[in-house]
Every structure is written in C-alpha cells, then in structure tokens.
Amino acid sequence: LHRHIMLLLWLLTTSMNVGMAMVIPNAARNIHFNNAGDSPSPPEVTNAIIQHMNLESQLGGYRAAELTSLEKVYASAARLIGAGRYHDNDDGIVNTETYNARDEIALVESATVGWTRFFYSALETKERELLLAPTKSSEKKTEKEERIILVSEAEYAANLVAAVKFARDHSTQNSRFRWRVFPIPSSTMEGEGGVPVSTGVVDLETFQSILKGTYTIGDSGGEKLDPTSIAMVCITHIPTNAGIINPVNEIGIMIDEFNSIEGGDKLNDTKLPHILYLVDACQSVGQISVSVQEMKCHALAATGRKYLRGPRGTGFLYIQHHIANTLEPSHVDHAAAPVVKVMEQSAWKHGLEEESEFGLCHTYQPGAARFEFYEANV
C-alpha cells in the first residue's frame, strides 16, 4: 500500500510539473501545493504588472492610471460570479442590465478588506436605522434588545475577530442593543467508536430551526434563539483549513424566504433586509463555479491571489446594487465621498459638522464605488 501511494504521488507531481512548466517559469524545478494560500502567476499576469510599472516609471503613477482602463476588470469580475447579466460579443463584455458592473463591484486590496468594509458598514448602517426609528412597543424597555450575528463554525479567523470586536464595542457603546455572535452548528458524521464527529459543514436542518425560532442555545434548558434578532449571517464558502464546501446557495434561499416573510426589521421599519447575508468566497472564486444569483447573498468578498492567479494586494467586493446605495461606508476618503461644498474659513471657529451651515458637505459615490479608496493597487 505504501508503494502504491508513493507511486500515485510521483505520477501526480510529475504530471503537474509538466503542465505547470508550460505556463510558469521554473515550475519543473518547483512543486507548489499552496494554491489555497497564494497561486503562482502565469507570465501574462507578470508581464502586465511589469509593463504597468514601466509606464509608471515613465509617466508617474497618476498619469499611468489615467491611461489604464479597468472597465473590463469590473465587467469580468461581475460576469465571473454572475452579478447582473453579462455576455461576450465581438467588442468585448456587454452588460444587459440597466446598471453597470461598477454599481456592484468594488476593487479592493484583499478579500478580508472587502469583507470588513461591508461587514462594518452594513451593521453600522442597520444599527443607525434602528436607533433612529422609534420602537413599536409603547412600553419602555429596561433590558437591551438582542442583535445576533451568526457565523459558520469553520469561519475564517479574520472574520471572527471582526465580528467579536463589533459585538463587544457596540454592546458597550450602545445603551439599546446587546450584540452577540453565535456559530451555526455543523452536521455530524459517525467517528471512531460510533462517536459523532463534526463535519464543519453548516447543518441545514439546524439552520432552518433557527429561522423558525425552535432552536435552543446551549443545553436543552437554554434560551430559544429569536430569529427576528438576527442581523447578519456570515458564511465562509470554502474554509482555508479544510476541504469542506458550505451549502451557501441553500442558506441563501432560506434567508431570502425569511426576509420575504419578515420584510424589514420586525420592531422597526428599515431600508435594509431583515437578515443580511455575507459570503466569504476567498477560496472558491476561481476554483469552483460561483453565482451570487443562486446564493442570493447581499455581499461577497474574493481575492485575486489564489485561484484567479493574480498578484497579492488584489481582490474585489460584490454588493447588490440596491444594498450598496443604502449603505453608509464605515471608512471613506474623498474618492468614495466627493466633497460637494467647500467649507468656509469661519467654519474652523465653530467646529466642523456635516449638518451645520458651515460644515463640509459630501455625497457618496453610487453603488459599490463608495467602498473604493483613491489610492489603490492598479
């Protein structure tokens, strides 16, 4: 058996090297198995980077950027994940919807950057709407209202850190809401000795029970998880440290059905869906077929350095165009939020406030463009 395994590995690595050597320099002398972390770029990508760097050295970065069109990049990213309806013709990629790719695609430095920009912006916008809208209950509440963020058990560590930090900070700063983070239980399989072992894959029956309000937190004597308190569901499509694939399409359908019944927030009327759905597709885009239409996700983050075989420092964020136009970004610069009124000199004496007559007025870029910064990796 050992000899058979070694022979199989030798055949696999030999065939990989022959194929890779055709597109990657020195591949015949190197075996690269860490494509899930960072794939080697083919000569076409490397040459494009070198050509642009040469252009920057001749004309400067800003002028080189002006001469470089990224429209096909936006359209290609949108088409890759099924955002809008895009097709090819003799002139290139054409959008058949009334909105363009830049309404739904933001180019960012990494999947984590894109994920966190949507995560913080969406929850802060939702929280702000809830605080401004009066509760429908006439009774004055003495306890904080629960707001829950659900994550998969195999969620990426950076996502978990962000979720826990948000829950901690906003529970402390806000007197009305108590934010909590809960994992969605995974399915199990029979392990050694018949002991159930977690698969790491979100259990759809359990998730359905959560949305129906029948799921109990912790032991049987614990509290019921109120589905109307769920603000966001975060799912990593393919985790970095396991070969599992989470059922993101099925989860999205369940959330969409729940939102169609609940409408806006049950306690307050808001512009955002009751439950926001964020997918981390860092490991799946470029490796398997991905469709945001089938996922029914509100946002999706992806990277360029893995299975798309681009350079480090590249990625993109997809946001449904009507959701993007509703969100107020947690971080902006003058590109994401162009200044529309120049401040008066006397404003410095009064302090700058957006709504004051002396204040600095700005507007947000339409769609996903409000999540991009002026300085970017082109």
Side-chain angles (χ1 to χ4, degrees):
L1 177 62
H2 176 72
R3 282 197 294 268
H4 285 149
I5 293 175
M6 294 302 294
L7 177 60
L8 179 61
L9 286 174
W10 179 83
L11 290 171
L12 175 64
T13 54
T14 300
S15 61
M16 284 181 60
N17 281 342
V18 172
M20 296 289 278
M22 298 175 65
V23 293
I24 300 177
N26 301 320
R29 296 195 299 272
N30 298 284
I31 301 174
H32 187 90
F33 282 127
N34 194 23
N35 296 305
D38 189 358
S39 291
S41 295
E44 291 84 354
V45 173
T46 305
N47 292 338
I49 295 172
I50 294 173
Q51 289 174 12
H52 186 79
M53 293 303 296
N54 287 336
L55 190 62
E56 285 194 355
S57 68
Q58 297 169 16
L59 304 176
Y62 292 156
R63 180 56 181 158
E66 291 175 358
L67 296 175
T68 304
S69 174
L70 297 177
E71 294 307 314
K72 285 190 175 182
V73 177
Y74 288 97
S76 295
R79 185 185 57 168
L80 177 67
I81 61 172
R85 295 175 184 172
Y86 297 86
H87 66 268
D88 291 320
N89 65 9
D90 294 337
D91 298 324
I93 301 169
V94 176
N95 176 20
T96 60
E97 293 285 0
T98 57
Y99 52 91
N100 59 45
R102 297 194 71 165
D103 287 330
E104 295 192 317
I105 300 294
L107 300 182
V108 293
E109 298 91 318
S110 69
T112 299
V113 169
W115 192 97
T116 52
R117 283 184 187 170
F118 177 82
F119 176 83
Y120 284 109
S121 301
L123 288 184
E124 287 176 3
T125 299
K126 190 174 185 67
E127 184 181 63
R128 195 157 38 245
E129 288 183 351
L130 295 173
L131 289 171
L132 291 175
T135 59
K136 294 180 179 179
S137 173
S138 59
E139 299 180 1
K140 185 176 181 180
K141 296 184 178 181
T142 57
E143 296 183 357
K144 288 188 175 184
E145 298 175 25
E146 288 271 322
R147 293 294 160 181
I148 292 174
I149 303 167
L150 293 180
V151 299
S152 59
E153 286 189 339
E155 199 65 24
Y156 185 50
N159 304 347
L160 287 176
V161 170
V164 171
K165 183 180 186 303
F166 179 92
R168 181 198 65 197
D169 293 348
H170 285 252
S171 294
T172 303
Q173 299 166 7
N174 194 308
S175 61
R176 181 168 160 186
F177 300 118
R178 178 194 180 195
W179 288 88
R180 302 170 75 183
V181 181
F182 284 109
I184 305 170
S186 301
S187 60
T188 59
M189 62 181 182
E190 186 174 322
E192 187 176 351
V195 178
V197 178
S198 173
T199 64
V201 179
V202 170
D203 186 84
L204 292 176
E205 289 187 9
T206 302
F207 184 63
Q208 187 69 271
S209 70
I210 290 174
L211 296 182
K212 288 182 177 180
T214 60
Y215 177 74
T216 302
I217 300 173
D219 298 329
S220 58
E223 60 180 307
K224 297 284 187 182
L225 195 158
D226 180 5
T228 63
S229 66
I230 302 172
M232 182 179 287
V233 173
C234 305
I235 302 292
T236 294
H237 193 182
I238 300 178
T240 61
N241 57 351
I244 66 173
I245 301 178
N246 269 316
V248 289
N249 293 357
E250 291 81 357
I251 292 171
I253 291 172
M254 292 181 185
I255 293 173
D256 187 62
E257 290 175 350
F258 179 88
N259 285 337
S260 66
I261 296 173
E262 292 295 328
D265 190 277
K266 188 174 182 179
L267 299 177
N268 306 278
D269 293 325
T270 64
K271 298 177 182 177
L272 293 172
H274 188 99
I275 297 178
L276 290 162
Y277 183 30
L278 172 57
V279 174
D280 183 342
C282 187
Q283 301 288 344
S284 54
V285 169
Q287 179 180 193
I288 62 175
S289 177
V290 171
S291 169
V292 294
Q293 305 295 337
E294 295 179 5
M295 285 184 193
K296 297 185 181 296
C297 60
H298 300 115
L300 176 145
T303 187
R305 78 176 191 274
K306 296 181 184 289
Y307 295 99
L308 296 182
R309 298 177 65 191
R312 295 187 70 185
T314 59
F316 66 87
L317 168 66
Y318 157 81
I319 310 177
Q320 284 185 11
H321 65 103
H322 62 282
I323 298 291
N325 286 327
T326 303
L327 298 181
E328 184 172 338
S330 59
H331 296 81
V332 296
D333 68 357
H334 61 297
V339 175
V340 296
K341 178 183 176 183
V342 179
M343 70 185 77
E344 298 179 16
Q345 189 173 4
S346 58
W348 295 105
K349 299 178 182 179
H350 298 269
L352 295 178
E353 296 180 11
E354 183 180 357
E355 300 301 327
S356 75
E357 60 178 309
F358 303 103
L360 179 67
C361 294
H362 67 269
T363 184
Y364 293 112
Q365 292 281 13
R370 65 184 61 190
F371 292 94
E372 294 182 338
F373 280 40
Y374 183 72
E375 289 295 336
N377 187 345
V378 298

